[in-house]
Amino acid sequence: MRYSKNYTKENLCDKMLFGESSLFTNIEKLSVVAEDIKPVKQKSFAERNETMITFKDIRHNDTISTYIRKADESLKALGYTEHSFAHVGMVAVNARYILEKLGYSERTLELVQIAAYLHDIGNLVNRADHSQSGAVMAFRILDKLGMEAEEIAEIVTAIGNHDEGTGR
């Protein structure tokens, strides 16, 4: 049986397996190329984008504003003091002031403001263990916004440990 002008079943198989553009030849070429591939360090958020997530971005985020407002409404109904925008805003200003006086970088000052502003969003879930639920909520929000993992870790750690009952 013939498959084309000059190929028999046997020499067609040989050509497909061992010829110049054969399966094995291409696999050999790919393995040589694969040896030259080096791991590439993932670009940071700053390298991928012109701007980083800022405190202003967080303050103007509709989702975050809703969570803070609804958490405050829930706490008011339970008889707690005000935990809305005045509270988280004051905590953000004070946290920034303290770290600024201690000589921290501008980016760290931004991160502490973000952590301070988000520190009570867990009250939306429940007052008990609000620092842990708030840390999980903050993780989800910041990750969705595209914040760098290293910065998310700093913020979430601060939020998760801010409660005097569970934090150290």
Side-chain angles (χ1 to χ4, degrees):
M1 173 180 240
R2 297 185 64 84
Y3 289 90
S4 122
K5 292 182 200 173
N6 301 321
Y7 299 113
T8 64
K9 182 178 179 182
E10 292 75 27
N11 71 12
L12 182 60
C13 287
D14 284 346
K15 184 161 181 71
M16 288 174 59
L17 291 175
F18 304 107
E20 190 175 310
S21 62
S22 70
L23 177 64
F24 290 119
T25 305
N26 287 329
I27 289 172
E28 287 173 7
K29 288 176 185 175
L30 286 173
S31 66
V32 170
V33 171
E35 289 174 5
D36 293 335
I37 297 173
K38 305 286 186 254
V40 178
K41 183 182 180 292
Q42 186 179 10
K43 290 182 178 181
S44 71
F45 186 82
E47 293 167 327
R48 292 189 315 265
N49 299 295
E50 292 183 18
T51 60
M52 294 186 200
I53 302 296
T54 65
F55 177 52
K56 183 178 179 181
D57 297 328
I58 299 302
R59 270 192 5 251
H60 292 97
N61 182 286
D62 291 337
T63 300
I64 293 168
S65 295
T66 299
Y67 292 164
I68 292 170
R69 181 176 42 78
K70 296 302 275 183
D72 184 53
E73 289 172 11
S74 177
L75 288 179
K76 278 183 187 173
L78 294 171
Y80 284 92
T81 59
E82 190 273 335
H83 274 74
S84 189
F85 301 100
H87 170 70
V88 297
M90 181 183 64
V91 174
V93 166
N94 289 338
R96 180 186 175 93
Y97 175 79
I98 291 166
L99 292 191
E100 190 172 37
K101 291 298 176 190
L102 292 172
Y104 283 86
S105 72
E106 184 60 36
R107 186 62 188 155
T108 300
L109 299 179
E110 283 284 318
L111 296 179
V112 77
Q113 284 184 286
I114 293 169
Y117 197 77
L118 297 176
H119 84 278
D120 272 342
I121 62 170
N123 285 318
L124 180 66
V125 177
N126 196 317
R127 179 66 184 165
D129 299 321
H130 76 284
S131 59
Q132 282 78 38
S133 54
V136 173
M137 291 172 69
F139 170 83
R140 183 181 175 276
I141 292 165
L142 298 172
D143 187 53
K144 192 173 178 181
L145 291 174
M147 183 176 269
E148 190 174 336
E150 192 76 26
E151 293 184 345
I152 293 173
E154 293 287 333
I155 292 168
V156 168
T157 299
I159 294 170
N161 288 286
H162 88 272
D163 184 58
E164 57 281 343
T166 55
R168 302 276 181 239

